Amino acid sequence: MYDESQPEPIVEPDTENKTTFHGNDTEANYGERYRLDNSRKFKNHYDRLSRHNRGVLGEWFPREKRREADNLAILDAVANYLEFPEYQHRVARQEFDRAPLKEWSSPNGIDATITAIMICAVVGLKDPRFGREYNPDRKNESQDELFLKLLMSLPYRASVVRSCYQKALRHVEWEPVDWEEYINP
């Protein structure tokens, strides 16, 4: 697993299959010879294998696993945008991972993005030391600027935001630890 605070290495595969293909290698002179799989060029063949390896093409990568990876990437993007500290980011990721997205989802309503934002809002609310708080029932003047900016850039209705926030509030069971008690008893 990669450290989310560091950029992901481009040359390493991110799937369980550890084979690396370099389909865009223009230095190699593969020529125009036909391959046994009927791809016209070696480059096309290795591009196709690379897509299989990343799970973009074919049935080798389970859809559930791909969806889970995509959803966690959404949460990571939201937490990074909100400048969450590593600890809160990790907690938000765990809570999001166990959230029942299928039960919460609705057409033209709650989706993975708004769920990620609202879980981050609840984690921020439960740990006020950090200062990133959002509650859809408060006036905009008392909201965190990054939450407001993010939500204003997305097309969610206020009723959807409130509904998802209430679900996230009931879902998140995490209580922050007061580290001062452990350091100075």
Side-chain angles (χ1 to χ4, degrees):
M1 195 55 134
Y2 295 110
D3 181 2
E4 298 298 331
S5 64
Q6 299 295 321
E8 186 173 328
I10 296 174
V11 295
E12 293 185 22
D14 58 355
T15 61
E16 293 174 5
N17 183 349
K18 298 296 184 192
T19 307
T20 303
F21 297 101
H22 301 280
N24 295 328
D25 185 6
T26 56
E27 298 290 319
N29 186 11
Y30 295 127
E32 293 289 329
R33 300 176 304 204
Y34 285 96
R35 297 206 17 91
L36 293 176
D37 64 354
N38 292 326
S39 59
R40 179 128 176 109
K41 296 182 180 179
F42 277 82
K43 179 186 179 309
N44 295 348
H45 171 71
Y46 285 107
D47 281 342
R48 183 174 157 272
L49 289 178
S50 177
R51 287 194 308 274
H52 272 295
N53 190 41
R54 287 178 294 165
V56 176
L57 179 68
E59 300 175 12
W60 295 352
F61 195 69
R63 286 186 181 170
E64 296 81 29
K65 198 169 181 182
R66 185 181 317 152
R67 186 178 301 117
E68 178 184 328
D70 290 345
N71 287 342
L72 288 174
I74 291 170
L75 184 274
D76 291 338
V78 168
N80 287 336
Y81 177 82
L82 295 172
E83 300 172 354
F84 265 34
E86 183 181 346
Y87 177 66
Q88 284 187 343
H89 186 147
R90 196 170 351 121
V91 169
R93 199 171 210 269
Q94 290 169 350
E95 294 295 331
F96 182 76
D97 192 32
R98 65 176 199 87
L101 295 177
K102 284 184 181 179
E103 293 175 22
W104 292 8
S105 68
S106 60
N108 299 322
I110 297 175
D111 60 7
T113 304
I114 191 66
T115 302
I117 295 169
M118 291 301 110
I119 284 181
C120 285
V122 172
V123 168
L125 178 72
K126 288 191 173 204
D127 193 1
R129 295 174 296 173
F130 178 56
R132 288 267 180 257
E133 294 185 30
Y134 177 82
N135 184 333
D137 296 325
R138 291 186 198 160
K139 293 183 179 180
N140 284 349
E141 295 80 34
S142 64
Q143 305 285 13
D144 181 70
E145 291 179 25
L146 288 178
F147 271 107
L148 280 179
K149 189 175 178 183
L150 179 60
L151 286 168
M152 294 296 183
S153 69
L154 299 170
Y156 296 109
R157 296 184 318 268
S159 61
V160 170
V161 172
R162 265 191 208 89
S163 173
C164 188
Y165 181 78
Q166 292 302 319
K167 290 177 181 186
L169 202 53
R170 287 188 299 270
H171 169 74
V172 176
E173 297 173 350
W174 169 73
E175 291 298 326
V177 174
D178 185 8
W179 295 108
E180 290 297 323
E181 290 180 13
Y182 291 104
I183 296 171
N184 302 317

mmCIF file of all heavy atoms in Angstrom, residues 32-52:
data_model
loop_
_atom_site.group_PDB
_atom_site.id
_atom_site.type_symbol
_atom_site.label_atom_id
_atom_site.label_comp_id
_atom_site.label_asym_id
_atom_site.label_seq_id
_atom_site.Cartn_x
_atom_site.Cartn_y
_atom_site.Cartn_z
ATOM 1 N N GLU A 32 6.606 -3.116 -37.937
ATOM 2 C CA GLU A 32 5.221 -3.310 -38.364
ATOM 3 C C GLU A 32 4.854 -4.785 -38.464
ATOM 4 O O GLU A 32 3.884 -5.135 -39.129
ATOM 5 C CB GLU A 32 5.005 -2.638 -39.725
ATOM 6 C CG GLU A 32 5.105 -1.128 -39.699
ATOM 7 C CD GLU A 32 3.914 -0.502 -39.000
ATOM 8 O OE1 GLU A 32 2.806 -1.085 -39.069
ATOM 9 O OE2 GLU A 32 4.079 0.544 -38.372
ATOM 10 N N ARG A 33 5.610 -5.676 -37.876
ATOM 11 C CA ARG A 33 5.316 -7.099 -37.970
ATOM 12 C C ARG A 33 4.013 -7.421 -37.275
ATOM 13 O O ARG A 33 3.643 -6.794 -36.291
ATOM 14 C CB ARG A 33 6.433 -7.916 -37.334
ATOM 15 C CG ARG A 33 7.778 -7.692 -37.987
ATOM 16 C CD ARG A 33 8.820 -8.452 -37.238
ATOM 17 N NE ARG A 33 8.780 -8.029 -35.826
ATOM 18 C CZ ARG A 33 9.776 -8.128 -34.990
ATOM 19 N NH1 ARG A 33 10.886 -8.665 -35.381
ATOM 20 N NH2 ARG A 33 9.676 -7.727 -33.748
ATOM 21 N N TYR A 34 3.294 -8.405 -37.804
ATOM 22 C CA TYR A 34 2.054 -8.847 -37.159
ATOM 23 C C TYR A 34 2.375 -9.784 -36.013
ATOM 24 O O TYR A 34 3.343 -10.530 -36.045
ATOM 25 C CB TYR A 34 1.165 -9.570 -38.174
ATOM 26 C CG TYR A 34 0.498 -8.650 -39.131
ATOM 27 C CD1 TYR A 34 1.035 -8.401 -40.377
ATOM 28 C CD2 TYR A 34 -0.685 -8.010 -38.783
ATOM 29 C CE1 TYR A 34 0.422 -7.539 -41.263
ATOM 30 C CE2 TYR A 34 -1.304 -7.148 -39.651
ATOM 31 C CZ TYR A 34 -0.752 -6.916 -40.889
ATOM 32 O OH TYR A 34 -1.367 -6.058 -41.742
ATOM 33 N N ARG A 35 1.551 -9.743 -35.003
ATOM 34 C CA ARG A 35 1.713 -10.612 -33.859
ATOM 35 C C ARG A 35 0.692 -11.747 -33.946
ATOM 36 O O ARG A 35 -0.274 -11.672 -34.687
ATOM 37 C CB ARG A 35 1.500 -9.817 -32.581
ATOM 38 C CG ARG A 35 2.531 -8.732 -32.422
ATOM 39 C CD ARG A 35 2.796 -8.336 -31.002
ATOM 40 N NE ARG A 35 2.351 -9.246 -29.973
ATOM 41 C CZ ARG A 35 3.096 -10.221 -29.455
ATOM 42 N NH1 ARG A 35 4.316 -10.410 -29.882
ATOM 43 N NH2 ARG A 35 2.622 -10.997 -28.515
ATOM 44 N N LEU A 36 0.890 -12.785 -33.162
ATOM 45 C CA LEU A 36 -0.017 -13.925 -33.185
ATOM 46 C C LEU A 36 -1.417 -13.559 -32.682
ATOM 47 O O LEU A 36 -2.390 -14.213 -33.034
ATOM 48 C CB LEU A 36 0.548 -15.066 -32.328
ATOM 49 C CG LEU A 36 1.820 -15.713 -32.874
ATOM 50 C CD1 LEU A 36 2.343 -16.754 -31.891
ATOM 51 C CD2 LEU A 36 1.553 -16.355 -34.227
ATOM 52 N N ASP A 37 -1.540 -12.497 -31.858
ATOM 53 C CA ASP A 37 -2.857 -12.100 -31.366
ATOM 54 C C ASP A 37 -3.530 -11.097 -32.311
ATOM 55 O O ASP A 37 -4.498 -10.451 -31.938
ATOM 56 C CB ASP A 37 -2.760 -11.528 -29.961
ATOM 57 C CG ASP A 37 -1.950 -10.240 -29.914
ATOM 58 O OD1 ASP A 37 -1.376 -9.858 -30.944
ATOM 59 O OD2 ASP A 37 -1.900 -9.628 -28.835
ATOM 60 N N ASN A 38 -3.020 -10.952 -33.508
ATOM 61 C CA ASN A 38 -3.565 -10.100 -34.567
ATOM 62 C C ASN A 38 -3.446 -8.603 -34.300
ATOM 63 O O ASN A 38 -4.059 -7.807 -34.985
ATOM 64 C CB ASN A 38 -5.039 -10.427 -34.865
ATOM 65 C CG ASN A 38 -5.173 -11.798 -35.485
ATOM 66 O OD1 ASN A 38 -4.294 -12.230 -36.240
ATOM 67 N ND2 ASN A 38 -6.250 -12.490 -35.158
ATOM 68 N N SER A 39 -2.688 -8.214 -33.297
ATOM 69 C CA SER A 39 -2.459 -6.783 -33.141
ATOM 70 C C SER A 39 -1.378 -6.388 -34.140
ATOM 71 O O SER A 39 -0.413 -7.109 -34.353
ATOM 72 C CB SER A 39 -2.057 -6.436 -31.709
ATOM 73 O OG SER A 39 -0.891 -7.119 -31.343
ATOM 74 N N ARG A 40 -1.558 -5.259 -34.756
ATOM 75 C CA ARG A 40 -0.699 -4.859 -35.857
ATOM 76 C C ARG A 40 0.729 -4.572 -35.385
ATOM 77 O O ARG A 40 1.681 -4.912 -36.079
ATOM 78 C CB ARG A 40 -1.278 -3.620 -36.531
ATOM 79 C CG ARG A 40 -0.457 -3.106 -37.674
ATOM 80 C CD ARG A 40 -1.292 -2.924 -38.895
ATOM 81 N NE ARG A 40 -0.513 -2.350 -39.972
ATOM 82 C CZ ARG A 40 -0.160 -3.024 -41.038
ATOM 83 N NH1 ARG A 40 -0.542 -4.267 -41.191
ATOM 84 N NH2 ARG A 40 0.533 -2.455 -41.971
ATOM 85 N N LYS A 41 0.874 -3.958 -34.254
ATOM 86 C CA LYS A 41 2.204 -3.585 -33.775
ATOM 87 C C LYS A 41 2.447 -4.151 -32.378
ATOM 88 O O LYS A 41 1.515 -4.392 -31.627
ATOM 89 C CB LYS A 41 2.332 -2.065 -33.689
ATOM 90 C CG LYS A 41 2.220 -1.353 -35.005
ATOM 91 C CD LYS A 41 2.408 0.143 -34.785
ATOM 92 C CE LYS A 41 2.291 0.886 -36.083
ATOM 93 N NZ LYS A 41 2.452 2.327 -35.886
ATOM 94 N N PHE A 42 3.693 -4.323 -32.052
ATOM 95 C CA PHE A 42 4.049 -4.744 -30.702
ATOM 96 C C PHE A 42 3.582 -3.699 -29.690
ATOM 97 O O PHE A 42 3.147 -4.035 -28.604
ATOM 98 C CB PHE A 42 5.567 -4.931 -30.577
ATOM 99 C CG PHE A 42 6.030 -6.268 -31.055
ATOM 100 C CD1 PHE A 42 6.225 -6.505 -32.392
ATOM 101 C CD2 PHE A 42 6.268 -7.289 -30.154
ATOM 102 C CE1 PHE A 42 6.650 -7.734 -32.839
ATOM 103 C CE2 PHE A 42 6.698 -8.523 -30.592
ATOM 104 C CZ PHE A 42 6.887 -8.754 -31.944
ATOM 105 N N LYS A 43 3.673 -2.412 -30.048
ATOM 106 C CA LYS A 43 3.246 -1.353 -29.139
ATOM 107 C C LYS A 43 1.778 -1.530 -28.781
ATOM 108 O O LYS A 43 1.391 -1.422 -27.621
ATOM 109 C CB LYS A 43 3.473 0.018 -29.775
ATOM 110 C CG LYS A 43 3.030 1.164 -28.899
ATOM 111 C CD LYS A 43 3.154 2.481 -29.640
ATOM 112 C CE LYS A 43 2.702 3.646 -28.803
ATOM 113 N NZ LYS A 43 1.410 3.534 -28.198
ATOM 114 N N ASN A 44 0.919 -1.820 -29.757
ATOM 115 C CA ASN A 44 -0.503 -2.034 -29.494
ATOM 116 C C ASN A 44 -0.706 -3.226 -28.557
ATOM 117 O O ASN A 44 -1.542 -3.191 -27.658
ATOM 118 C CB ASN A 44 -1.273 -2.262 -30.786
ATOM 119 C CG ASN A 44 -1.266 -1.056 -31.687
ATOM 120 O OD1 ASN A 44 -0.874 0.027 -31.265
ATOM 121 N ND2 ASN A 44 -1.674 -1.236 -32.925
ATOM 122 N N HIS A 45 0.054 -4.272 -28.795
ATOM 123 C CA HIS A 45 -0.044 -5.467 -27.972
ATOM 124 C C HIS A 45 0.301 -5.145 -26.514
ATOM 125 O O HIS A 45 -0.432 -5.514 -25.593
ATOM 126 C CB HIS A 45 0.894 -6.536 -28.523
ATOM 127 C CG HIS A 45 1.047 -7.735 -27.644
ATOM 128 N ND1 HIS A 45 0.037 -8.654 -27.469
ATOM 129 C CD2 HIS A 45 2.079 -8.141 -26.870
ATOM 130 C CE1 HIS A 45 0.445 -9.589 -26.633
ATOM 131 N NE2 HIS A 45 1.678 -9.306 -26.255
ATOM 132 N N TYR A 46 1.405 -4.446 -26.300
ATOM 133 C CA TYR A 46 1.817 -4.149 -24.937
ATOM 134 C C TYR A 46 0.942 -3.074 -24.291
ATOM 135 O O TYR A 46 0.744 -3.077 -23.079
ATOM 136 C CB TYR A 46 3.301 -3.776 -24.887
ATOM 137 C CG TYR A 46 4.160 -5.013 -25.039
ATOM 138 C CD1 TYR A 46 4.856 -5.252 -26.207
ATOM 139 C CD2 TYR A 46 4.217 -5.957 -24.021
ATOM 140 C CE1 TYR A 46 5.614 -6.399 -26.362
ATOM 141 C CE2 TYR A 46 4.965 -7.111 -24.170
ATOM 142 C CZ TYR A 46 5.654 -7.328 -25.335
ATOM 143 O OH TYR A 46 6.383 -8.471 -25.481
ATOM 144 N N ASP A 47 0.380 -2.176 -25.085
ATOM 145 C CA ASP A 47 -0.608 -1.235 -24.551
ATOM 146 C C ASP A 47 -1.823 -1.994 -24.022
ATOM 147 O O ASP A 47 -2.339 -1.697 -22.948
ATOM 148 C CB ASP A 47 -1.063 -0.242 -25.622
ATOM 149 C CG ASP A 47 -0.067 0.873 -25.845
ATOM 150 O OD1 ASP A 47 0.795 1.089 -24.968
ATOM 151 O OD2 ASP A 47 -0.157 1.532 -26.896
ATOM 152 N N ARG A 48 -2.284 -2.973 -24.793
ATOM 153 C CA ARG A 48 -3.431 -3.781 -24.391
ATOM 154 C C ARG A 48 -3.116 -4.563 -23.120
ATOM 155 O O ARG A 48 -3.914 -4.613 -22.185
ATOM 156 C CB ARG A 48 -3.804 -4.721 -25.533
ATOM 157 C CG ARG A 48 -5.009 -5.560 -25.273
ATOM 158 C CD ARG A 48 -5.376 -6.345 -26.549
ATOM 159 N NE ARG A 48 -6.142 -7.497 -26.184
ATOM 160 C CZ ARG A 48 -5.613 -8.689 -25.862
ATOM 161 N NH1 ARG A 48 -4.323 -8.874 -25.914
ATOM 162 N NH2 ARG A 48 -6.390 -9.688 -25.523
ATOM 163 N N LEU A 49 -1.934 -5.178 -23.052
ATOM 164 C CA LEU A 49 -1.535 -5.910 -21.848
ATOM 165 C C LEU A 49 -1.427 -4.977 -20.642
ATOM 166 O O LEU A 49 -1.800 -5.350 -19.528
ATOM 167 C CB LEU A 49 -0.202 -6.629 -22.080
ATOM 168 C CG LEU A 49 -0.235 -7.829 -23.020
ATOM 169 C CD1 LEU A 49 1.167 -8.399 -23.181
ATOM 170 C CD2 LEU A 49 -1.183 -8.898 -22.503
ATOM 171 N N SER A 50 -0.949 -3.775 -20.873
ATOM 172 C CA SER A 50 -0.856 -2.801 -19.786
ATOM 173 C C SER A 50 -2.235 -2.435 -19.256
ATOM 174 O O SER A 50 -2.436 -2.324 -18.042
ATOM 175 C CB SER A 50 -0.130 -1.553 -20.274
ATOM 176 O OG SER A 50 -0.087 -0.582 -19.277
ATOM 177 N N ARG A 51 -3.206 -2.260 -20.156
ATOM 178 C CA ARG A 51 -4.581 -1.965 -19.718
ATOM 179 C C ARG A 51 -5.158 -3.133 -18.931
ATOM 180 O O ARG A 51 -5.846 -2.935 -17.925
ATOM 181 C CB ARG A 51 -5.457 -1.620 -20.914
ATOM 182 C CG ARG A 51 -5.158 -0.257 -21.500
ATOM 183 C CD ARG A 51 -6.223 0.217 -22.456
ATOM 184 N NE ARG A 51 -6.568 -0.726 -23.496
ATOM 185 C CZ ARG A 51 -5.932 -0.839 -24.669
ATOM 186 N NH1 ARG A 51 -4.916 -0.056 -24.940
ATOM 187 N NH2 ARG A 51 -6.327 -1.714 -25.555
ATOM 188 N N HIS A 52 -4.885 -4.360 -19.362
ATOM 189 C CA HIS A 52 -5.321 -5.541 -18.606
ATOM 190 C C HIS A 52 -4.679 -5.541 -17.216
ATOM 191 O O HIS A 52 -5.330 -5.812 -16.210
ATOM 192 C CB HIS A 52 -4.935 -6.836 -19.325
ATOM 193 C CG HIS A 52 -5.948 -7.305 -20.300
ATOM 194 N ND1 HIS A 52 -7.201 -7.710 -19.930
ATOM 195 C CD2 HIS A 52 -5.897 -7.438 -21.647
ATOM 196 C CE1 HIS A 52 -7.882 -8.083 -20.999
ATOM 197 N NE2 HIS A 52 -7.111 -7.918 -22.054
#
